[in-house]
Amino acid sequence: MGIGESISKGFGVAKKSMGLILLLFVFGFIFNLLNLFFAPPATAPGVAQPPPSPALIAAAVAFIFLTIYFQAGSMTFVRDMVKTGSANLGNFKAGGGKYYLRLLVLGLVVSLIIGGFVLLAALAVAVLKSLPAVSVPLAILFAALGIYFVVLLFLAPYAAVVDDLGAMASIKLSMKLVKKNVLALVGISLIMIAIGFGIGLILGAILAGVSYVIKVAMVSQVIFALLSSLVNSFLGVAVTGVFMNFYLSITDRNNT
């Protein structure tokens, strides 16, 4: 399956998954509202920003853990939609529980890799600050290696959900598949980033227009939160559909 076909089928999956999109929209919109109403007020330049409220911190932590559940459920839903042409929120619930720990472990592994290379880059700059000709290239090298290893693990969640593999087995399979298909994977990623960037520009223009028409800042921000949550929900399912089709095509198990 080519890049264009994977993208086309991914957006087709999103169009058939309105129940899932609605669920993700409600989840995202609630968090956006919490962030909007509980975030510290903006301060003038040069004035220290007050710390976030305990309620916002608690909501952020809960959001992180709930996001993993929603990711696991969404990937299961999309997997079944791609493979069989139909799925329901029962698939979502079952997948959210079954694959939660695996995706949590994968998320921790990626976080540790990113944190480790960021730490190495910072240490290189700090220890060799008197030798910028050495420290800067070394820091760039560590950053590039971090990105490289994260890219190698990109397909691990799909391996866990599609092939029912444990975290470590998913990582090994992802590294193998990405090395063989890196150009296609990068190509799809760049196209999806470009699509997201274009939609972001449109949303920004809409926000500017809404803010111009509606002078009450909070009202315009709520409207923007609603629109952005809806768009992000659709794009989230579409992106999952795109890479699910891609994963199934490179493992020769796309039955659609």
Side-chain angles (χ1 to χ4, degrees):
M1 183 183 297
I3 292 176
E5 189 177 357
S6 292
I7 294 174
S8 176
K9 286 192 172 185
F11 278 90
V13 167
K15 293 177 182 178
K16 296 188 294 183
S17 305
M18 289 303 163
L20 176 61
I21 290 172
L22 178 60
L23 181 64
L24 297 177
F25 160 71
V26 172
F27 174 63
F29 185 51
I30 289 174
F31 180 76
N32 283 338
L33 289 180
L34 289 174
N35 187 59
L36 185 61
F37 287 107
F38 290 100
T43 58
V47 179
Q49 182 77 12
S53 66
L56 185 59
I57 294 174
V61 172
F63 178 79
I64 292 172
F65 286 100
L66 282 172
T67 295
I68 298 171
Y69 177 85
F70 275 76
Q71 180 189 13
S74 297
M75 293 184 70
T76 304
F77 183 102
V78 171
R79 177 202 65 192
D80 295 342
M81 182 66 77
V82 171
K83 295 182 73 173
T84 68
S86 65
N88 55 55
L89 293 183
N91 304 72
F92 173 91
K93 182 179 178 181
K98 181 176 181 179
Y99 300 111
Y100 182 88
L101 288 178
R102 300 181 203 185
L103 297 194
L104 176 61
V105 171
L106 290 174
L108 291 174
V109 170
V110 171
S111 298
L112 288 173
I113 290 175
I114 294 174
F117 280 106
V118 168
L119 179 61
L120 288 173
L123 286 174
V125 172
V127 173
L128 302 172
K129 59 184 178 181
S130 60
L131 298 171
V134 177
S135 63
V136 173
L138 197 57
I140 294 174
L141 174 62
F142 285 134
L145 287 173
I147 294 172
Y148 172 71
F149 279 105
V150 169
V151 170
L152 287 180
L153 302 186
F154 185 85
L155 294 176
Y158 295 88
V161 173
V162 174
D163 293 319
D164 202 13
L165 298 177
M168 294 303 107
S170 298
I171 288 173
K172 291 179 181 179
L173 180 56
S174 176
M175 294 176 73
K176 176 182 177 181
L177 292 173
V178 171
K179 287 178 181 178
K180 290 182 178 179
N181 302 276
V182 64
L183 292 180
L185 182 62
V186 170
I188 291 176
S189 300
L190 290 176
I191 292 172
M192 297 308 296
I193 290 171
I195 292 173
F197 181 75
I199 293 175
L201 290 177
I202 295 172
L203 280 177
I206 292 174
L207 175 61
V210 170
S211 300
Y212 178 79
V213 174
I214 302 175
K215 303 303 182 182
V216 181
M218 182 60 71
V219 174
S220 61
Q221 289 171 352
V222 169
I223 293 174
F224 182 71
L226 187 148
L227 291 175
S228 62
S229 298
L230 183 59
V231 171
N232 288 336
S233 300
F234 180 85
L235 282 180
V237 176
V239 168
T240 302
V242 168
F243 287 107
M244 186 66 71
N245 275 285
F246 176 72
Y247 179 87
L248 287 167
S249 71
I250 63 177
T251 53
D252 296 323
R253 283 189 300 276
N254 193 340
N255 299 318
T256 59

